[in-house]
Amino acid sequence: MSDIINILPDSVANQIAAGEVVDRPASAVKELLENALDAGATKIQLIVKDAGRTLIQVIDNGCGMSESDARVCFERHATSKIHKADDLFAIRTMGFRGEALASIAAIAQVELKSRLHDRELGTLVLIEGSHVKEQSPCACPCGTSIAVKNLFFNVPARRNFLKKDSIELSHIEEIFKRVALINYRTDYSFNSNGRLLYDLRAGNFAERISQIFGNTYRQRLCPVNEQTDIVGIEGYVSKPEFARKSRGEQYLFVNHRFIKHPALNAAIEKAYADIIPDHHYPSYFLHLQVDPSRLDVNIHPTKTEVKFIDENTLFAILRAATKKAIGQFSLATELQFNPIEEVDFPPAPKGYIPTPPKIHYNPDYNPFADTRPHKATPSPHNPDPKYSSFFDLPSSIGADPAPQPQQTSLPLPADSPAAPQLHTPSDTPCLQLMGTHIISIMPSGLLVVDQHAAHERILYERFLNHSATPHPQQLLFPVNCQFSPADADIFNELIPDLKHYGFEIGNLGQTTFVVTATPPDMKETELQPLFDQLIVQLKGAMIQKFTDRTDSLCRSMARQMAIKPGTPLQQAEMQQIIADLFCCQMPTLSPSGRKTMAILSPDQLLN
Ligand code: ADP
Ligand code: MG
């Protein structure tokens, strides 16, 4: 039998390698952005058309390439970043495998223009399916521009495998965020189909986070800063109260590279154990700096997986640093993103005795007082007969305990002849237990109310009945809210619905919105979290029909605005909550199905 083994031509070998390096437009974007950073660029422009299908272009002002490098860079294993095997353990660049451009050129039509800073002219190279079509001198700015056209033009299987544009674009956006977040000393712009999605100015890490995710992140994050022999950790983690139900913004970087590392992610989340509810996740933006010799990034071509030599120690340090940050800073109101020089107080004069500042407050202020007219059924004026006994209690506890039928769950049967017709909340004293529950007395026993769940139910029904609509509260200082470009589109769709509930919202630009009025009782700090939550829900694609959408809007607003566990309540507030709760159509459960109250009879308590 004759010999049957061939050496594959480069174009085929490159196409095979491309399968690993470039599986979708976003991976080509990653390689090009990283090359621009490795070239020392301070300004990088990303331009895509049709979610990268027809064009991905990256323009940088980095070092540029010589005429011959502009040609050689498309060869397989062509790299300027390492020279020998030992260099693999001292990698300080994003790339080093010399595979990306060869792979991209094997599966697309590529136009490269590059010029060194000390040259008058640059070089143009056109290459298509690994075949050079043209190389010539050209006039171009210093730096490099690489335009990748018609990705997968010769790999139909891969092309057909691509998802719809919105999905591919969101992958590109995610890659862009990962690169731009940690390389914050570089200017970036990102243009998609002629629309400017991001325009980021060089700054510090915190500024970059707020440029990408919005200014509200200032209130949500605590700084982390820990320097040890093994690792330097810098960045930000979210305060526990901003934990979310989805694993949203979790960014871990090692030596300026975004990585996925389940054990380290778990270490961070462990720091939040016991302080955030189950199935909630913190956000974080953390940069670990380790000696490159203690790190292996060469596990996979995309380099998002890495291996550390000191994994266990690193795990412990990361967890401790996160815990420390949460403990130290989570009570601070807002991160100072542009720290001002330390304020220099003059020493106090001798014998000076400081006096504590005076706080003025109105002891009669009742944020829960509802001055709006209620709907006919049920209402404080016409409470649900099942619960009306609460309105009929004698004012002193224990006085006149009217004989009640034996029952445990409800105070009075609906048809009880004893059902009274009182119209205002009872003045039965209430106690607050552990900052979370209200305790009161019913004729049939001890009433225990979960303050958050109860208020959520009250607000939910109020919103569903549209009773919040007529009285928007105008804000003294309009509040700006910011979203990522993709989220801003979703939010735009929500505005008419929100208007219905008393919000007045204008669009200040593509991703910034200004809120000028809200439903009554809404706190300004609750706006961004509320909108974020609504967007997450809409994204979940569970909500298609208008009715569901309204319901979900009411639920989210109620959850966000309901008094939080731990909020101290005045006597009148507690009484109002109980009265309002009993006027609800379904007082016993919160909109999410949690029990709002229990009534414990003496029998139950003592047996
Ligand atoms: P790697 O980045 O792993 O070295 P690439 O295939 O991505 O491999 O790039 C090959 C080489 O081309 C790089 O090592 C670099 O010398 C050169 N190069 C690529 N992109 C740029 C750029 N934007 N500016 C300057 N040089 C570049
Ligand atoms: Mg590269």
Side-chain angles (χ1 to χ4, degrees), residues 486-549:
D487 286 359
D489 284 349
I490 298 173
F491 187 68
N492 242 329
E493 282 179 29
L494 269 176
I495 291 180
D497 294 316
L498 290 166
K499 197 167 181 228
H500 197 64
Y501 294 97
F503 289 95
E504 282 168 22
I505 301 169
N507 192 338
L508 287 185
Q510 278 169 6
T511 56
T512 310
F513 295 81
V514 60
V515 184
T516 49
T518 65
D521 304 341
M522 182 105 208
K523 288 203 202 97
E524 291 161 17
T525 49
E526 289 167 344
L527 289 170
Q528 183 86 39
L530 166 68
F531 298 153
D532 286 345
Q533 194 192 339
L534 283 173
I535 291 170
V536 168
Q537 286 199 3
L538 275 185
K539 269 189 184 164
M542 297 169 299
I543 307 138
Q544 270 118 25
K545 287 182 283 161
F546 178 72
T547 46
D548 291 348
R549 194 169 154 137

Side-chain angles (χ1 to χ4, degrees), residues 41-113:
T42 55
K43 192 170 172 195
I44 299 176
Q45 289 166 262
L46 168 64
I47 300 164
V48 301
K49 280 205 183 116
D50 306 315
R53 250 177 254 270
T54 52
L55 176 73
I56 298 166
Q57 185 173 14
V58 171
I59 306 170
D60 68 58
N61 65 352
C63 62
M65 283 183 260
S66 71
E67 203 180 317
S68 94
D69 280 356
R71 165 68 195 85
V72 175
C73 69
F74 292 110
E75 296 291 334
R76 197 130 170 250
H77 310 306
T79 181
S80 54
K81 298 167 196 175
I82 56 172
H83 298 277
K84 49 188 192 308
D86 280 356
D87 295 345
L88 276 174
F89 305 100
I91 286 165
R92 297 198 181 269
T93 49
M94 305 299 283
F96 58 87
R97 298 169 65 112
E99 284 182 324
L101 289 186
S103 300
I104 293 171
I107 49 165
Q109 297 152 344
V110 180
E111 180 194 280
L112 169 115
K113 285 181 186 168

Side-chain angles (χ1 to χ4, degrees), residues 348-458:
K350 253 198 172 150
Y352 170 79
I353 302 165
T355 50
K358 287 201 172 63
I359 299 166
H360 301 280
Y361 68 98
N362 172 6
D364 299 325
Y365 174 66
N366 174 10
F368 302 94
D370 182 10
T371 49
R372 292 180 296 277
H374 279 260
K375 276 203 121 189
T377 52
S379 80
H381 304 284
N382 185 16
D384 187 324
K386 282 194 298 235
Y387 303 108
S388 51
S389 59
F390 183 75
F391 297 89
D392 192 32
L393 274 177
S395 53
S396 63
I397 305 175
D400 188 21
Q404 293 298 322
Q406 274 295 327
Q407 58 162 29
T408 52
S409 59
L410 296 176
L412 269 179
D415 54 358
S416 161
Q421 290 302 311
L422 260 188
H423 301 314
T424 50
S426 149
D427 54 1
T428 308
C430 296
L431 286 173
Q432 195 180 17
L433 188 68
M434 300 186 306
T436 51
H437 288 80
I438 304 169
I439 310 283
S440 190
I441 306 286
M442 303 287 292
S444 51
L446 198 63
L447 171 71
V448 183
V449 173
D450 176 324
Q451 67 189 47
H452 177 74
H455 199 212
E456 202 179 326
R457 160 59 59 185
I458 295 164

Side-chain angles (χ1 to χ4, degrees), residues 3 13 39 71 84 117 175 194 248 254-255 263 267 272 319 336 369 375 392 399 413 447 458 477 486 542 565 577:
D3 299 338
R71 165 68 195 85
K84 49 188 192 308
H117 284 242
I175 291 290
V254 174
N255 297 356
Y272 286 84
R319 192 174 108 188
Q336 190 56 263
K375 276 203 121 189
D392 192 32
L447 171 71
I458 295 164
F477 301 104
M542 297 169 299
I577 287 174

Side-chain angles (χ1 to χ4, degrees), residues 31 35 38 81 95 100:
E31 296 298 335
N35 278 348
D38 284 343
K81 298 167 196 175

